[in-house]
């Protein structure tokens, strides 16, 4: 049974959809807020947090990567960059919405800088892959940095130039840098998926070859 599942995953390039075939994917998405707003109350801890948004393929994996960074307060899987309002997971993976699978990161700038988040981002993606990330193929799995202000844009562009000038990779760096727009949180069963379903998640990640490819690209385990 497991062998059959792996074959379907590889051929379809839709690992998450098959892995959720236990019935959860068939449920209608729970209502989601259109975007995440930060408090402006100076007495509220949230008001002292900053926001960053990244797309690096499967948002389950991107969440896990950023949750390990000291200074990251929370991560939220979702959809952004497209034209469809309040899209569902199925709509995004079909590819007609223009959205990326992305993760919004709330972080404490007194503990971790945006520059450090950029470093964590690059080391968890293949910046030369134009058609997706690892085994997940299609436009919704492309990599991108969504900047929230001019300073984030400047730092993101500088980090991409540094990677291009390092000549670490044979192919061009194709990761996009675009202005952040409306962010739609994904369905609840996607949030913290790696924690809620550790065995299934590890099975998916191993078969996707993500860790092996990152070690090959960056020369270290991820």
């Amino acid at each position: 049974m497991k062998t059959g599942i792996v074959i379907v995953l590889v051929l379809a390039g839709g690992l998450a959809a098959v892995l959720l075939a236990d019935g959860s994917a068939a449920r209608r998405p729970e209502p989601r807020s259109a975007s995440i707003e930060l408090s402006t109350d100076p007495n509220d801890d949230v008001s002292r947090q900053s926001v960053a948004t990244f797309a690096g393929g499967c948002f389950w994996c991107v969440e896990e990567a950023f949750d390990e960074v000291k200074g990251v307060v929370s991560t939220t899987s979702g959809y952004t960059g497209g034209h469809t309002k309040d899209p569902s997971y199925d709509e995004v993976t079909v590819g007609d919405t223009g959205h990326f699978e992305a993760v919004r990161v709330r972080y404490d700038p007194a503990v971790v800088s945006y520059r450090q988040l950029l470093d964590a981002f690059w080391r968890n993606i293949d910046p030369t892959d134009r058609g997706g990330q690892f085994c997940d193929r299609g436009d919704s799995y492309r990599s991108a940095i969504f900047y929230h202000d001019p300073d984030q844009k400047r730092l993101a562009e500088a980090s991409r130039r540094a990677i291009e000038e390092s000549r670490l990779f044979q192919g061009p760096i194709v990761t996009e840098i675009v202005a952040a727009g409306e962010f739609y949180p994904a369905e609840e069963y996607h949030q913290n998926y790696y924690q809620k379903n550790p065995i299934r998640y590890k099975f998916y990640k191993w078969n996707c070859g993500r860790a092996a490819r990152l070690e090959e690209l960056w020369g270290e385990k991820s």
Side-chain angles (χ1 to χ4, degrees), residues 149-178:
D149 56 47
D151 195 47
Q152 284 192 355
K153 180 181 181 182
R154 176 181 61 81
L155 291 170
E157 291 176 342
S159 70
R160 185 171 64 183
R161 281 196 303 273
I163 291 175
E164 290 170 339
E165 292 168 1
S166 72
R167 301 189 183 279
L168 285 172
F169 307 102
Q170 293 183 343
I173 304 304
V174 299
T175 298
E176 300 177 44
I177 298 176
V178 294

Side-chain angles (χ1 to χ4, degrees), residues 26-209:
R27 294 197 296 267
R28 294 303 303 166
E30 296 181 9
R32 301 188 296 273
S33 59
S35 61
I36 295 176
E37 298 294 338
L38 293 185
S39 169
T40 57
D41 181 353
N43 297 314
D44 188 342
D45 287 341
V46 174
S47 69
R48 295 192 290 274
Q49 297 170 14
S50 295
V51 178
T53 305
F54 302 100
C58 171
F59 44 29
W60 299 345
C61 298
V62 179
E63 265 202 5
E64 180 192 28
F66 279 105
D67 280 345
E68 294 176 352
V69 177
K70 184 178 181 180
V72 168
V73 178
S74 66
T75 55
T76 303
S77 288
Y79 316 113
T80 194
H83 51 78
T84 301
K85 184 177 177 59
D86 197 26
S88 69
Y89 174 75
D90 290 340
E91 289 171 332
V92 172
T93 54
V94 166
D96 294 334
T97 67
H99 285 295
F100 294 70
E101 279 198 13
V103 170
R104 177 149 295 181
V105 179
R106 284 186 178 180
Y107 66 100
D108 183 347
V111 179
V112 61
S113 69
Y114 185 69
R115 195 188 304 272
Q116 289 172 309
L117 293 182
L118 287 169
D119 184 60
F121 167 73
W122 289 114
R123 291 182 178 276
N124 278 279
I125 67 164
D126 178 351
T128 66
D129 192 342
R130 196 181 299 275
Q133 286 290 292
F134 313 102
C135 63
D136 292 314
R137 315 311 301 161
D139 285 349
S140 63
Y141 293 110
R142 291 171 294 158
S143 62
I145 300 168
F146 296 91
Y147 61 86
H148 290 262
D149 56 47
D151 195 47
Q152 284 192 355
K153 180 181 181 182
R154 176 181 61 81
L155 291 170
E157 291 176 342
S159 70
R160 185 171 64 183
R161 281 196 303 273
I163 291 175
E164 290 170 339
E165 292 168 1
S166 72
R167 301 189 183 279
L168 285 172
F169 307 102
Q170 293 183 343
I173 304 304
V174 299
T175 298
E176 300 177 44
I177 298 176
V178 294
E182 213 163 12
F183 180 87
Y184 300 96
E187 294 81 354
E188 181 57 32
Y189 61 80
H190 285 303
Q191 308 301 334
N192 302 307
Y193 188 88
Y194 74 98
Q195 295 175 328
K196 296 174 181 174
N197 302 278
I199 295 176
R200 184 173 291 179
Y201 171 74
K202 289 176 182 177
F203 178 74
Y204 151 73
K205 188 177 178 180
W206 183 83
N207 277 287
C208 199

Side-chain angles (χ1 to χ4, degrees), residues 4-15 18 135 137:
I5 291 176
V6 174
I7 292 173
V8 173
L9 297 180
V10 174
L11 291 179
L15 288 158
V18 176
C135 63
R137 315 311 301 161

